[in-house]
Amino acid sequence: MRLSEIRGHEPVRKLIADAAARGSLPPCLVFAGPEGVGKYQLALALASVVNCEDDASRLDCCGKCGSCRGIARGAHPDVVTVAPGDTGKIKVDAIRDVLKQLAYRPFEGHRRVVVINEADRLVQDAQNALLKTLEEPPSTSMLLLITHRPNLLLDTVRSRCPQIRFGSLTTEEVENILVSQHELPPATARAAAAAADGSVARALEAGSGDYLEARESAVKVLRALATKPSAKIRLELGTEFSSYQRGAKSAKAKTVEREGLRLRLRALGTLFRDVQVVSVKGDHGWLANADLESELVELAKSYDIYRAGRGFENVDRAVTALTGNASVKVVADWLTQQI
Ligand SMILES: [Zn+2]
């Protein structure tokens, strides 16, 4: 399947197509996001793009050449998928086998692509076996790890693979819903949908004053952390970002506090994604925070695709912790130490 034929995930497809055309694709990537949204399909499309025999457009594959057809049939010698066996795990032997193949030049294509589906099911030994290759990947290879539970990957694996995020609903779908059911002007709907991570409720929220205030606070913290300041300064930033107030407070005040941090985390997540788009020189038309373009360009100088990817991932962890009732202060303090 061609990249352009995949439904939804437009920002991700743009990011990948632009990076592929510029030859700036990292040799290993984690595709993370909800189950059943097409991450594997997109991985195969990417394998087709890098191996297509028709060089007319490097932004997509042709879908017709021998290589494209071979990949579509699951019969291309340079494109291998590893998935959990009967035990529900991916064992170390399976990984050693494919790593051996990666060491050789491609048979037919330009690049050997190994897709590890449900990568969170890799046993620890198998993940460790991957590390050396992730550190020094052969230039003719590409490793794509697909997972809906990226937090189950070892830190050492995640730190070597920029994470590409997939949302639940597509931006287009959200955009269409905003226009048809909520009567938003198309341009507003597009910007709101791009910031909503697949949720109509979030898209509607993104237009609110509270959200803009939260975003301002997120930009401020990113600016302050750009130069990687000391732990002490980070702690001060964490306290500020949490809007934590000392002393006893009512249940309602606590809820307001949590809600405030949740919104700031969401804004921070969209900023990290935008910074990734800018850092791979992607199409600025897909920025969720297009009104902050010059700010994003400035931030991308300090946050490359790896740092921004880690940032995104840590925001996710912070959101999970907050949902699990961790205190706002603990969550914000932790996060500002990680970014
Ligand atoms: Zn082709």
Side-chain angles (χ1 to χ4, degrees), residues 58-135:
R58 299 187 59 203
L59 285 169
D60 205 345
C61 57
C62 72
K64 293 178 236 155
C65 70
S67 170
C68 284
R69 280 183 289 129
I71 292 169
R73 284 201 316 272
H76 193 292
D78 296 316
V79 179
V80 179
T81 297
V82 184
D86 296 339
T87 56
K89 300 275 175 209
I90 304 176
K91 299 205 169 147
V92 66
D93 291 346
I95 292 303
R96 287 208 183 106
D97 279 351
V98 295
L99 292 183
K100 241 181 262 165
Q101 296 176 35
L102 275 187
Y104 299 105
R105 294 194 62 76
F107 284 113
E108 290 178 5
H110 303 295
R111 239 167 142 169
R112 282 185 186 264
V113 181
V114 173
V115 183
I116 304 182
N117 211 359
E118 297 188 58
D120 47 90
R121 292 177 181 273
L122 285 160
V123 298
Q124 188 158 344
D125 281 354
Q127 295 197 44
N128 282 325
L130 275 175
L131 286 179
K132 198 175 172 313
T133 305
L134 295 178
E135 227 158 52

